[in-house]
Amino acid sequence: MTRVYIIETPYHLLICATKTILEKRMGKDVVLLYKQNFSSTTIKRLKTIFKEVLCFNLIENFIGLLNLKLRQKKIPLLPFFIRQNHNINEKWLKNKEVFIFNDNDYYGCFLNFMKKDYNLIEDGLNCFSSDLEAYVRKHRHKLYLLLGFSWDSFGESKFTKTIEVNDISKMRIKYPNSIEMNRDQLFKSLSDNDVDTIAYAFNYQPLLFSPKGDYSLLLTQPLSEDGYVSHSKKIEIYQYLAEKYAVGTLYVKAHPREKEDYSKILPNAVILNNNKIPFELYQLKEKFHFKRAISTFTTAMDSIFCADEKIQMGVEWTRNF
């Protein structure tokens, strides 16, 4: 049976590409991805791993929600529905196994509306052990509720067949069909050739110098984009963290959804320029070793094994800075 992976972030892509390669399913499955988060080169190269690559964007999702609402009210569909989302409908889904990382967005609503069973994969690392999921759900659904939408998500839908998580013992939501798939072990199962295949898809370029020793790593988050603090406050926070906690040369890995030019904000730092590459891939390709890894808050910190010390400030510290 063909699998369909519905993904939004580079990290999602890393997970499903890894699973596809390890389970020897290259060329058999379909990936449906959020176009804005990936380069055109990556989208093209993914055809070396997947049978088909489809893209969606924010406008298609918004119009899709409106159409679902109209269908619920038995009102004719909007005539300008963009490409019918590649004709992804009940017939197209019938003989496919669906895997989704975020079932609180349009496609989660779509799957529930169609009464299509799906497999939920943890969005980030240990997300189901974090109250951030509840925060995201609460605020994102405000718009949907205004439109008259409401559906169960984050593993609470009756159409969720399984939930795959990194650490089942830390789950905030208990679900009978939970599957533990340790991400660290998953990545370590990849051969060097497997890693090269994934790196090629991401258009990975080797670093000229790989830090080893008294260096620091700063992992940034889209703090202002997600409404935690203002844009100016976000810049102040990262300048503060760099000055207060960085040891030796500071390396900066920006979050994929950020558009900041950190070379201007932190002029003495080394910026890992391609922010659409998950840091996990850097760890697989480079022999990193940092004295410190620093962040405001991110589940990605749990996946870092190349730092002697990890410093996280927390959500409340960030909001109250």
Side-chain angles (χ1 to χ4, degrees):
M1 181 181 292
T2 299
R3 294 179 179 177
V4 178
Y5 289 98
I6 303 174
I7 69 175
E8 294 186 16
T9 71
Y11 183 72
H12 295 169
L13 176 57
L14 177 63
I15 295 297
C16 63
T18 298
K19 290 167 66 69
T20 297
I21 291 172
L22 291 178
E23 295 173 22
K24 302 187 185 307
R25 296 187 61 88
M26 288 180 65
K28 297 180 179 180
D29 298 323
V30 178
V31 63
L32 174 61
L33 56 83
Y34 182 53
K35 186 175 182 180
Q36 282 86 333
N37 285 341
F38 302 90
S39 69
S40 58
T41 300
T42 292
I43 293 172
K44 184 183 300 183
R45 290 183 177 183
L46 283 178
K47 293 180 180 178
T48 62
I49 300 175
F50 298 98
K51 176 182 178 181
E52 190 173 8
V53 180
L54 304 175
C55 299
F56 63 90
N57 59 45
L58 187 62
I59 296 299
E60 286 180 339
N61 276 12
F62 182 73
I63 295 176
L65 280 170
L66 290 179
N67 274 284
L68 287 181
K69 179 60 181 173
L70 291 175
R71 289 180 67 172
Q72 287 176 328
K73 298 295 185 181
K74 302 188 184 305
I75 299 173
L77 298 181
L78 293 172
F80 51 89
F81 187 28
I82 300 176
R83 292 188 297 169
Q84 289 292 313
N85 281 304
H86 306 284
N87 294 315
I88 296 173
N89 49 36
E90 298 97 322
K91 182 178 179 181
W92 188 84
L93 288 169
K94 186 175 181 180
N95 295 315
K96 293 180 175 65
E97 185 81 358
V98 177
F99 295 80
I100 187 171
F101 289 81
N102 290 320
D103 65 343
N104 63 315
D105 277 336
Y106 163 69
Y107 279 104
C109 180
F110 174 78
L111 293 168
N112 277 272
F113 181 80
M114 298 299 173
K115 300 181 180 180
K116 171 67 177 179
D117 292 339
Y118 60 90
N119 303 278
L120 182 61
I121 303 178
E122 196 170 31
D123 175 26
L125 193 66
N126 298 325
C127 280
F128 281 95
S129 66
S130 170
D131 287 336
L132 286 177
E133 288 293 339
Y135 175 87
V136 171
R137 181 181 180 186
K138 176 183 175 182
H139 288 271
R140 187 170 292 179
H141 269 60
K142 283 183 178 178
L143 172 62
Y144 298 159
L145 289 173
L146 287 174
L147 294 172
F149 284 98
S150 181
W151 71 94
D152 292 329
S153 57
F154 291 107
E156 297 175 346
S157 169
K158 65 182 179 180
F159 300 107
T160 305
K161 290 175 59 179
T162 63
I163 303 178
E164 181 183 304
V165 298
N166 176 64
D167 187 343
I168 202 169
S169 68
K170 296 181 179 180
M171 287 183 69
R172 182 173 56 84
I173 299 173
K174 301 301 180 183
Y175 193 80
N177 293 326
S178 300
I179 301 169
E180 184 173 270
M181 179 64 70
N182 183 270
R183 301 280 171 89
D184 187 38
Q185 294 178 6
L186 185 72
F187 296 140
K188 288 181 178 178
S189 298
L190 293 167
S191 68
D192 289 343
N193 286 337
D194 295 337
V195 173
D196 288 342
T197 298
I198 296 173
Y200 172 79
F202 274 98
N203 194 26
Y204 180 88
Q205 301 297 321
L207 297 181
L208 298 177
F209 175 72
S210 189
K212 301 180 182 69
D214 290 342
Y215 298 96
S216 300
L217 170 69
L218 175 63
L219 296 175
T220 70
Q221 286 287 97
L223 301 178
S224 56
E225 292 84 347
D226 287 349
Y228 288 99
V229 297
S230 67
H231 181 259
S232 60
K233 186 69 70 175
K234 180 178 83 165
I235 293 173
E236 289 177 19
I237 286 174
Y238 288 128
Q239 289 174 334
Y240 171 83
L241 292 179
E243 181 179 351
K244 180 76 173 179
Y245 295 105
V247 176
T249 302
L250 177 65
Y251 283 71
V252 178
K253 173 62 175 70
H255 191 277
R257 286 194 284 111
E258 289 187 282
K259 300 186 185 301
E260 304 292 347
D261 183 354
Y262 278 101
S263 65
K264 295 180 180 178
I265 298 170
L266 300 168
N268 295 322
V270 177
I271 313 300
L272 301 179
N273 286 320
N274 193 340
N275 68 333
K276 296 189 183 301
I277 294 179
F279 186 75
E280 288 80 1
L281 187 54
Y282 280 102
Q283 288 192 117
L284 291 170
K285 287 293 292 181
E286 307 288 343
K287 304 302 179 183
F288 279 153
H289 179 241
F290 294 99
K291 183 71 174 178
R292 282 181 177 171
I294 309 160
S295 182
T296 50
F297 57 89
T298 173
T299 57
M301 192 69 84
D302 293 341
S303 68
I304 291 178
F305 55 80
C306 61
D308 295 334
E309 182 182 4
K310 300 178 184 180
I311 297 174
Q312 288 215 82
M313 309 310 294
V315 177
E316 290 307 314
W317 179 93
T318 302
R319 287 176 176 160
N320 296 324
F321 181 84

